[in-house]
Amino acid sequence: SLVIGARQIGKTYVINEFIKNEFDDSLCFNLEKDVEIRQIFENTIEPKKIISNIELIINKKINIENTILFFDEIQVSEKFIVSLKYFNESSDNYKIICAGSLLGVKLNHFTESFPVGKVEIRYMYQMSFEEFLTATGNEMLKEKIEEAYRNMEKLIEPIHLKAIDLYRKYLCIGGMPEAVKNLVDNNLDRNIRVALHLHENMSLSFFLAQNFVDKHLNRPVSIDGSLMGMGRVPGNLPIELIADYLNEYGDKSYDIDYLMDAIQDYIAPI
């Protein structure tokens, strides 16, 4: 899979969290920094030779059946992108995920043959204005804007001005998660609770929720979810997953058995 998106929107973080939770073994390379790894692809695009050369550089045998390879900042190596075709066509079960920034610009100047149909491309974006409102503790305002839109009604002047002020801040910050965190920490009253509501777009809700938790905001926080992610398409954050994560990494003690019993009794029969 190839994850494409702007810089500083959390691509590397989300992929690393996915790898940590789904695979027992992994190798991660940044082609912008790991020059020796990048040079391998300049010399060969044949998968077996690539893996063999990587093994020599890292001095470690790679079990391709159990190991996922993560290549970051791939926009710096055109040959690497070409090699994805041959990894895909190989009879060996290679597991590769990669990410890059400014790839749209790179591909427009591509001199090689792009592996069309051989690479699963996923697009990741910065926070939307709705997500920004949620992250800054303005969930009620978000719901009011949505209600006014549905009913084709104007917001009253003071609410409209508040929304416009927040929108200007959003445009300046650009929806980048770390920048939003800094805005919240430095400008929002410490007693205001920040709540997160995620939809299951691209199956990323669980990883984004972990990202939110791991930011360690200096204030009370809430995370919204539902059993098995039940909800209007595309669904919501599965509450049992984030509860289990908080038990393991957040010093919580949620009753996971209770949640699983509820799923078995009420959700599974649907």
Side-chain angles (χ1 to χ4, degrees):
S1 293
L2 169 58
V3 180
I4 297 176
R7 289 187 179 275
Q8 303 299 316
I9 61 171
K11 298 187 301 299
T12 301
Y13 178 89
V14 168
I15 292 172
N16 280 326
E17 288 299 303
F18 169 73
I19 290 172
K20 182 175 71 176
N21 285 279
E22 298 296 330
F23 294 91
D24 295 327
D25 196 14
S26 64
L27 290 170
C28 302
F29 305 103
N30 183 315
L31 296 187
E32 200 167 51
K33 298 178 180 178
D34 299 325
V35 179
E36 291 178 322
I37 301 297
R38 184 172 79 232
Q39 288 175 341
I40 290 174
F41 296 93
E42 299 303 317
N43 290 286
T44 181
I45 53 176
E46 201 280 311
K48 288 186 183 296
K49 291 182 180 179
I50 291 171
I51 297 300
S52 176
N53 288 332
I54 291 176
E55 288 175 335
L56 290 172
I57 288 177
I58 66 175
N59 194 29
K60 175 184 176 181
K61 290 294 292 182
I62 300 174
N63 184 336
I64 62 171
E65 290 295 326
N66 301 322
T67 304
I68 184 169
L69 304 174
F70 172 30
F71 295 93
D72 202 3
E73 302 296 354
I74 67 166
Q75 72 277 357
V76 301
S77 176
E78 197 167 296
K79 292 291 187 181
F80 170 83
I81 297 173
V82 173
S83 76
L84 293 175
K85 172 185 177 182
Y86 301 98
F87 278 106
N88 176 269
E89 294 175 346
S90 173
S91 58
D92 294 314
N93 187 24
Y94 296 107
K95 301 172 182 66
I96 294 177
I97 189 167
C98 46
S101 305
L102 303 173
L103 270 172
V105 175
K106 176 68 176 177
L107 296 180
N108 284 336
H109 298 87
F110 212 67
T111 59
E112 303 279 351
S113 176
F114 183 79
V116 177
K118 306 294 182 180
V119 180
E120 180 185 16
I121 298 178
R122 299 274 186 157
Y123 293 93
M124 187 170 173
Y125 303 95
Q126 62 267 44
M127 280 184 174
S128 67
F129 182 55
E130 288 176 308
E131 291 167 331
F132 174 81
L133 289 177
T134 298
T136 54
N138 288 283
E139 184 74 22
M140 291 177 62
L141 177 59
K142 179 175 81 76
E143 293 173 356
K144 183 62 180 177
I145 293 172
E146 292 171 345
E147 177 188 333
Y149 178 79
R150 287 193 303 270
N151 298 329
M152 300 297 289
E153 297 174 348
K154 290 184 177 180
L155 296 171
I156 64 171
E157 187 68 11
I159 296 176
H160 175 73
L161 291 175
K162 179 179 180 179
I164 290 297
D165 180 61
L166 286 166
Y167 185 61
R168 285 173 179 153
K169 290 178 179 176
Y170 167 74
L171 292 178
C172 292
I173 291 170
M176 303 304 180
E178 192 65 28
V180 173
K181 175 185 181 298
N182 291 335
L183 175 73
V184 170
D185 279 346
N186 296 321
N187 294 278
L188 201 62
D189 189 284
R190 297 291 182 188
N191 295 316
I192 295 178
R193 177 179 295 272
V194 173
L196 180 70
H197 174 79
L198 291 166
H199 292 289
E200 186 62 339
N201 293 317
M202 293 173 60
S203 301
L204 287 174
S205 65
F206 180 41
F207 304 109
L208 293 174
Q210 292 176 56
N211 193 347
F212 177 74
V213 169
D214 294 343
K215 290 298 183 186
H216 301 294
L217 297 177
N218 298 317
R219 66 186 65 255
V221 298
S222 297
I223 301 177
D224 181 13
S226 57
L227 292 175
M228 286 186 70
M230 288 289 288
R232 190 173 182 179
V233 174
N236 300 313
L237 167 68
I239 198 70
E240 64 276 8
L241 294 183
I242 192 61
D244 186 58
Y245 180 82
L246 290 170
N247 283 350
E248 185 169 355
Y249 298 103
D251 197 29
K252 302 296 182 183
S253 56
Y254 297 112
D255 190 340
I256 304 301
D257 289 338
Y258 180 80
L259 294 176
M260 300 310 293
D261 288 344
I263 289 173
Q264 182 175 343
D265 294 342
Y266 301 106
I267 306 299
I270 296 177

